[in-house]
Amino acid sequence: MLASLLRRLIQAIMVVLAMTIIVFVGVNVIGNPVDILINPDASQAEYARVVAHLGLDRPLWQQYLMFIQGIFHGDFGTSFVYNKPALSLIVERLPATLELAMTALLIAIVVGLPLGLYAGLHPERLSSRLIMSGSILGFSLPTFWVGLMFILLFSVQLGWLPSGGRGETASFLDTNWSFLTADGLHHLILPALNLALFKTSLVLRLTRAGVQEVLPQDYVKFARAKGLSENRVIYTHVLKNLMIPVVTITGLEFGSLIAFSVVTESIFAWPGMGKLIIDSINNLDRPVIVAYLMMMVVLFVALNFIIDICYTLLDPRVRLDTKGK
């Protein structure tokens, strides 16, 4: 087991190193940030000074080596726009995005898991068919349109919830959080629901498919033949075995919630990393873009590693080392 974990860790490091090349080259071939940062009427000497100051006059391979050296020291460069370390800018916005993503994931699990379990256990009922029809809407409706409709209905027409911003926050572990205050919770509800809509439908349909796959299995029939109560059969045998694919998808989707919350954060003016990366792309702020993308790479690699470990906790038959199979 230890050797297998070590192999996975080495593979993860190689993936991250490969992605540094892809991300760095991909970002550096797009546009010239100097054209945005300086006045169009600036002299050639001023233009050359800014280029040299940003290190853009060096060959691309030298810029990459400097970038790798900076990574090992926790330095992703200084933002062209904010004149602050790129990593510190992202870390400042990280709690807001984490809070939004974790709330959305919690909603998806709390709503999607029991509804999917119900729809899988009672597929012929009208209520189950309505639930599955609703899940199709969750997949089909565009996130930006749903967000705008939420604002129009709950903020403009009914006036129940605020349309944007993070609201009042409270400090915990030297970090400001919205969910610790009533005003912050009011501001969190709409963006979290909007972000959770697709994930809820995904968890729901995945759970339903898992239930229908597990129910005909021999060990479920044997459990019922032994006279076990229906609740024990469902929660001990059915739910436990369908949790492996649910955990896999949920873990990866948590990463996507963080990485792709850009639309929701933009619509609801949520001050997270998504809004920061949109502004950085518009301004060609390369250090911030590269730092953000590398953080997402490390996040997804780490999540995959954690999910592999969770397999063994949920089902002892699953092994990280598959050579013995």
Side-chain angles (χ1 to χ4, degrees), residues 217-230 232-234 236-238:
Q217 299 297 321
D218 291 337
Y219 59 84
V220 176
K221 296 178 181 178
F222 182 70
R224 284 173 170 164
K226 287 196 304 182
L228 297 180
S229 66
E230 189 67 15
R232 186 171 179 184
V233 171
I234 292 172
T236 301
H237 297 278
V238 176

Side-chain angles (χ1 to χ4, degrees), residues 157-177:
Q157 298 293 333
L158 299 176
W160 290 352
L161 297 168
S163 60
R166 200 179 177 194
E168 183 181 353
T169 60
S171 179
F172 178 68
L173 298 177
D174 295 327
T175 305
N176 292 326
W177 303 96

Side-chain angles (χ1 to χ4, degrees), residues 254-313:
F254 178 67
S256 69
L257 282 172
I258 296 175
F260 307 121
S261 60
V262 176
V263 174
T264 297
E265 290 187 2
S266 299
I267 292 173
F268 292 94
W270 189 262
M273 294 190 302
K275 192 173 186 304
L276 174 65
I277 195 62
I278 288 294
D279 296 338
S280 298
I281 291 172
N282 291 332
N283 295 318
L284 289 179
D285 197 349
R286 289 179 181 174
V288 176
I289 298 172
V290 171
Y292 174 82
L293 293 176
M294 288 309 306
M295 181 176 287
M296 293 304 104
V297 169
V298 172
L299 173 67
F300 277 97
V301 171
L303 284 174
N304 275 285
F305 186 73
I306 293 171
I307 289 169
D308 284 340
I309 297 175
C310 288
Y311 282 165
T312 59
L313 299 178

Side-chain angles (χ1 to χ4, degrees), residues 9 51 66 96 144 153 185:
L9 183 59
V51 169
M66 292 176 59
F144 71 89
L153 177 61
L185 279 174

Side-chain angles (χ1 to χ4, degrees), residues 2 16 24 26 47 52 63 87 102 113 154 157 164 173 221 231 270 283 286-287 302:
L2 185 60
V16 172
F24 184 83
Y47 186 92
Q63 296 182 44
L87 186 59
M102 291 175 68
L113 194 61
F154 295 105
Q157 298 293 333
L173 298 177
K221 296 178 181 178
N231 285 338
W270 189 262
N283 295 318
R286 289 179 181 174

Side-chain angles (χ1 to χ4, degrees), residues 65-247:
L65 291 179
M66 292 176 59
F67 168 64
I68 292 295
Q69 184 179 3
I71 288 180
F72 284 114
H73 292 86
D75 180 15
F76 287 85
T78 302
S79 168
F80 297 160
V81 177
Y82 299 95
N83 197 29
K84 295 175 62 177
L87 186 59
S88 68
L89 281 172
I90 294 176
V91 171
E92 287 176 5
R93 306 290 188 97
L94 180 60
T97 299
L98 278 178
E99 183 176 45
L100 181 60
M102 291 175 68
T103 305
L105 185 64
L106 180 63
I107 292 173
I109 294 173
V110 170
V111 176
L113 194 61
L115 288 181
L117 186 62
Y118 176 84
L121 293 172
H122 311 287
E124 300 302 325
R125 292 186 181 179
L126 177 61
S127 54
S128 297
R129 295 179 179 177
L130 291 175
I131 289 172
M132 298 309 297
S133 299
S135 69
I136 296 176
L137 287 178
F139 277 120
S140 306
L141 297 177
T143 301
F144 71 89
W145 182 84
V146 174
L148 293 175
M149 292 302 102
F150 278 172
I151 292 175
L152 180 63
L153 177 61
F154 295 105
S155 299
V156 178
Q157 298 293 333
L158 299 176
W160 290 352
L161 297 168
S163 60
R166 200 179 177 194
E168 183 181 353
T169 60
S171 179
F172 178 68
L173 298 177
D174 295 327
T175 305
N176 292 326
W177 303 96
S178 296
F179 71 91
L180 296 177
T181 67
D183 182 62
L185 279 174
H186 276 81
H187 283 78
L188 181 61
I189 291 174
L190 284 185
L193 286 174
N194 184 55
L195 191 60
L197 183 62
F198 178 86
K199 309 305 177 186
T200 302
S201 300
L202 181 63
V203 172
L204 191 158
R205 298 186 73 87
L206 185 65
T207 304
R208 177 183 179 272
V211 170
Q212 293 190 327
E213 181 180 351
V214 170
L215 281 179
Q217 299 297 321
D218 291 337
Y219 59 84
V220 176
K221 296 178 181 178
F222 182 70
R224 284 173 170 164
K226 287 196 304 182
L228 297 180
S229 66
E230 189 67 15
N231 285 338
R232 186 171 179 184
V233 171
I234 292 172
Y235 294 108
T236 301
H237 297 278
V238 176
L239 190 59
K240 183 179 178 180
N241 285 278
L242 67 85
M243 284 304 294
I244 293 179
V246 172
V247 167

